[in-house]
Amino acid sequence: METNYHIYSDNKKNNLTKIIETTPTSVKYELPDVLLLSDNDKVDGHPLTDPYYSKEDKALMKLMLSYFVEFMRFSKMKPLSSKSNKNNNINNNNNNNNNNNIKDRPHFSVQLDGNEKLRCIVNNYEKALEMKNYCCVGFFGTKSFNSQSKLSEIISSDDALVSILPEFPSIIGYVTIQKDKPESEEHLSHLPNKVDDNYANIVIIENFDVVNEWRRHTVHRDANQYLSPLYYHLVRIHNAQISIPAESLSNYFKLYQHDPLDICFIRTKYYSFTPDGKVNLRALREYKELTFASFLSPNSFEFFQQIVNEIGKKLKVNTKLIDIYSLIDSNENKEELINQPPHQLMVEYGVDFAFMCGLSFVVGGPQLLSPLVSPVRIEDHYQDKPVYFSNLIAKKESTINQLSRDSTFLHNGKDSFSGYQVLNSHLIKNQGSSIEHYFKKSINTGSHLNSIKSILSSTNDDQLIASIDSTVLDTELFLNRISLEKDIKIIKTLGPSTMPPLVSKLSSPHSKTYSIEIQKYLSSNEFSTLFESVLLKFNYKRFEIVNSSSFDDIRKVIN
């Protein structure tokens, strides 16, 4: 049977049972209705339902997952010894353990001052190695003021739960960790018990079907029914998906060791309890909002914003376009983040879909990203195709009329296809020299727009050249911010290359649900007709469907 206060993912089943008869104190009472929360809602009087805590939980789930993955990697490279550390600070065991609950499951634990700080159990080692996608349940409990009275029972219950793990081969692994106490007074004030440490755990599973079996087991059901309501003040339970950026975890260890594993939340359930064990809050948050980002020039952000808004209207879902570089700039780890490739930033910021350079897609690879559509510009030189060019520009009054070794080259980053890689390949092929050896000096300005500004403010003695994405240049010309008659001149054009695509992140739960719909709609006559005025406003005609092979021209250049 289900616990009698359970929240179902099928909303039709919620709020049917109103009276709880089996309770920790044997007192019948009426169960509160399930509140449905949007992505940014929080419940008045229940500060721990603030989405801030879900973001914090997700970061801790990623940390626990990283411990599990590294333990798997270590186990794969070198079978674990059955010897325990004499100081009992770290215990590793691949065969037998003094506690027979874990039996022969690979596991380790970390203890300090007699308290367990971290525990990792691999329940199905072979299955863990062969899988590409996992599901995950994250449990975050905030202890009640009187939690100590139930501590011994909780420990016994935890031992019992661990002992039955071998009965569930679809449970891949289990990790629990002690949480740090909040640093801010505000967040500390949200805890009814400010003395005892709180713990979190993740259960890594093959699919969510096993969750129903697991929670119906007597040991788990009784823990939820009779212990949790008295031991915890509030519980957050996150259902999530984990995607491996390779064919399997075993293959990931060989090929993709530096790409992070992505945890994508599907839903969060909230349960809050009174001191006498009654449920006084049930809430469900389902993550249906589609998050988009642009890794292209900021002068296209307004266009993409309108595209994202239109997708939301058509699909009848909430959508948002985030300014990812502003988010990075405000992050305390911005020096580290700014150097991460777009596919990793999509994982870091929970982005489902992104407008990005074709090179960024190629680097991320078809294991991680799927291109959907690319736009077609209206100008004649694009020949009614989803292509663009690299325009080498100099100041109008400059004496530079062709590539010159005496020039200083401006670019927006070595990872830019139009701003660096195309010219670099051209020089190697035709001059036998790379950019760094051909020009007098090269300078990374950070963006195409910064390169244009540097050209405009330069003197003839500066001898500056820049390689600019033709769509960026054409947008600036179209908006009359610069002029070919007065400000700049194009001294050479390289290309064409396939236009930057809109891609979906394959690890996102929304990718499978919405990718095909988005692709079909943006490439349809319906969209081109209804959205014609907006497309023309930004000098675009339409979108065309693209796939991985559409970017073979870029692969050829960089290889």
Side-chain angles (χ1 to χ4, degrees):
M1 60 176 286
E2 306 284 358
T3 53
N4 52 20
Y5 56 84
H6 177 70
I7 297 174
Y8 296 92
S9 55
D10 181 356
N11 289 330
K12 294 179 181 179
K13 295 182 180 180
N14 290 323
N15 305 327
L16 295 179
T17 303
K18 302 300 287 186
I19 303 296
I20 291 187
E21 297 186 358
T22 307
T23 70
T25 56
S26 301
V27 176
K28 297 180 182 180
Y29 67 95
E30 186 172 341
L31 194 67
D33 285 345
V34 174
L35 302 179
L36 300 181
L37 308 180
S38 67
D39 284 23
N40 299 311
D41 288 343
K42 65 179 178 180
V43 182
D44 291 341
H46 295 274
L48 292 172
T49 61
D50 192 311
Y52 163 85
Y53 289 104
S54 291
K55 293 178 182 178
E56 190 180 66
D57 294 350
K58 187 175 184 178
L60 196 56
M61 288 173 69
K62 285 184 177 181
L63 178 62
M64 287 188 276
L65 178 62
S66 71
Y67 284 129
F68 176 81
V69 169
E70 289 308 307
F71 184 55
M72 286 291 301
R73 191 199 308 274
F74 179 73
S75 302
K76 188 172 186 292
M77 290 189 301
K78 183 178 180 181
L80 297 177
S81 168
S82 62
K83 296 180 180 179
S84 297
N85 185 290
K86 292 182 179 180
N87 294 324
N88 201 33
N89 288 331
I90 300 179
N91 294 320
N92 291 331
N93 195 327
N94 200 30
N95 297 306
N96 296 297
N97 184 270
N98 293 331
N99 182 351
N100 290 325
N101 290 340
I102 304 177
K103 297 184 178 180
D104 60 350
R105 266 52 183 173
H107 68 278
F108 75 88
S109 65
V110 178
Q111 298 185 10
L112 294 174
D113 301 324
N115 294 320
E116 186 174 62
K117 302 294 184 181
L118 173 70
R119 184 185 355 159
C120 177
I121 301 171
V122 180
N123 191 54
N124 192 331
Y125 182 80
E126 291 74 18
K127 179 69 72 174
L129 282 177
E130 71 183 33
M131 289 182 62
K132 173 178 174 60
N133 296 302
Y134 305 85
C135 295
C136 179
V137 177
F139 178 93
F140 291 77
T142 302
K143 292 179 183 178
S144 67
F145 183 76
N146 296 316
S147 61
Q148 281 295 324
S149 64
K150 290 291 178 182
L151 180 58
S152 61
E153 293 178 69
I154 284 288
I155 292 173
S156 297
S157 176
D158 183 67
D159 288 342
L161 286 169
V162 170
S163 72
I164 64 172
L165 283 176
E167 298 177 27
F168 298 89
S170 291
I171 295 180
I172 307 300
Y174 170 82
V175 185
T176 185
I177 194 169
Q178 180 182 310
K179 294 180 63 179
D180 293 332
K181 285 189 171 66
E183 294 183 0
S184 76
E185 286 297 325
E186 178 190 358
H187 295 143
L188 188 62
S189 70
H190 294 164
L191 305 180
N193 184 335
K194 300 175 178 57
V195 177
D196 295 335
D197 292 310
N198 288 302
Y199 284 79
N201 66 61
I202 58 171
V203 182
I204 303 164
I205 53 182
E206 185 175 359
N207 53 58
F208 286 116
D209 292 339
V210 71
V211 173
N212 295 324
E213 301 172 31
W214 175 251
R215 69 180 179 222
R216 286 173 183 147
H217 194 285
T218 304
V219 174
H220 187 272
R221 188 193 66 219
D222 288 350
N224 278 356
Q225 192 88 357
Y226 302 109
L227 290 178
S228 288
L230 293 173
Y231 188 72
Y232 294 108
H233 161 67
L234 184 134
V235 168
R236 291 187 297 273
I237 299 176
H238 306 288
N239 286 7
Q241 289 184 347
I242 302 170
S243 182
I244 306 296
E247 290 301 321
S248 64
L249 185 60
S250 181
N251 188 247
Y252 170 78
F253 291 148
K254 300 175 185 177
L255 302 176
Y256 293 90
Q257 296 187 18
H258 300 295
D259 282 329
L261 304 189
D262 197 6
I263 293 182
C264 297
F265 280 6
I266 299 171
R267 66 182 66 89
T268 298
K269 299 175 182 179
Y270 300 87
Y271 303 97
S272 180
F273 309 100
T274 61
D276 59 352
K278 294 180 181 178
V279 179
N280 65 354
L281 170 73
R282 296 191 303 160
L284 173 66
R285 190 192 309 276
E286 295 189 285
Y287 299 90
K288 295 182 178 180
E289 185 173 59
L290 308 186
T291 300
F292 291 73
S294 171
F295 295 94
L296 301 174
S297 175
N299 71 358
S300 60
F301 193 87
E302 183 184 351
F303 173 62
F304 293 141
Q305 179 68 75
Q306 296 204 39
I307 296 296
V308 169
N309 291 344
E310 177 61 22
I311 290 172
K313 291 177 184 177
K314 176 64 177 179
L315 302 185
K316 297 180 180 178
V317 295
N318 292 329
T319 58
K320 66 178 179 182
L321 177 67
I322 62 173
D323 186 345
I324 200 157
Y325 290 114
S326 292
L327 293 176
I328 290 173
D329 193 53
S330 62
N331 193 297
E332 60 182 14
N333 299 317
K334 64 180 180 180
E335 296 301 325
E336 175 186 341
L337 290 171
I338 197 65
N339 293 316
Q340 288 188 10
H343 70 276
Q344 290 186 3
L345 290 173
M346 289 180 74
V347 171
E348 180 72 26
Y349 285 96
V351 175
D352 303 300
F353 302 90
F355 301 92
M356 65 170 56
C357 172
L359 178 61
S360 296
F361 160 68
V362 169
V363 170
Q367 293 278 5
L368 306 176
L369 305 171
S370 176
L372 304 179
V373 293
S374 289
V376 177
R377 292 281 299 192
I378 201 170
E379 292 89 349
D380 290 342
H381 50 273
Y382 293 102
Q383 301 175 2
D384 200 32
K385 297 177 182 179
V387 297
Y388 74 118
F389 302 87
S390 297
N391 290 329
L392 302 179
I393 67 169
K395 194 168 185 177
K396 183 70 175 181
E397 58 196 42
S398 167
T399 58
I400 300 174
N401 292 301
Q402 60 184 4
L403 290 174
S404 168
R405 293 181 180 270
D406 295 327
S407 302
T408 293
F409 177 65
L410 306 180
H411 61 89
N412 61 320
K414 293 183 179 181
D415 57 349
S416 169
F417 189 70
S418 59
Y420 192 94
Q421 293 293 336
V422 170
L423 178 59
N424 193 57
S425 176
H426 174 81
L427 290 175
I428 291 173
K429 182 178 180 180
N430 294 282
Q431 302 293 335
S433 181
S434 67
I435 284 175
E436 300 305 318
H437 294 97
Y438 182 84
F439 292 107
K440 180 173 62 177
K441 184 167 59 172
S442 71
I443 299 173
N444 182 352
T445 65
S447 72
H448 286 304
L449 295 180
N450 286 343
S451 295
I452 293 173
K453 289 177 183 177
S454 295
I455 293 283
L456 295 176
S457 62
S458 66
T459 65
N460 288 339
D461 293 336
D462 293 329
Q463 295 288 290
L464 299 183
I465 292 176
S467 181
I468 306 298
D469 179 323
S470 63
T471 66
V472 176
L473 186 61
D474 285 337
T475 297
E476 293 299 289
L477 292 170
F478 177 68
L479 297 174
N480 294 316
R481 291 172 179 161
I482 55 174
S483 165
L484 289 175
E485 287 72 34
K486 298 185 298 180
D487 302 317
I488 63 163
K489 55 186 174 184
I490 298 173
I491 62 172
K492 191 173 187 64
T493 298
L494 300 174
S497 306
T498 305
M499 195 71 138
L502 169 64
V503 306
S504 69
K505 183 182 65 176
L506 293 176
S507 61
S508 166
H510 298 314
S511 176
K512 183 180 293 187
T513 306
Y514 294 108
S515 289
I516 293 178
E517 284 189 74
I518 291 173
Q519 184 184 58
K520 285 183 177 179
Y521 180 55
L522 292 185
S523 61
S524 69
N525 290 331
E526 176 191 0
F527 173 80
S528 297
T529 302
L530 291 176
F531 218 60
E532 182 179 20
S533 61
V534 176
L535 289 168
L536 292 176
K537 176 182 176 182
F538 295 95
N539 264 24
Y540 286 96
K541 277 188 176 181
R542 65 183 184 279
F543 283 90
E544 283 195 6
I545 293 175
V546 291
N547 55 39
S548 181
S549 63
S550 303
F551 299 89
D552 285 346
D553 59 329
I554 292 176
R555 294 185 179 96
K556 184 177 179 181
V557 168
I558 64 174
N559 291 330

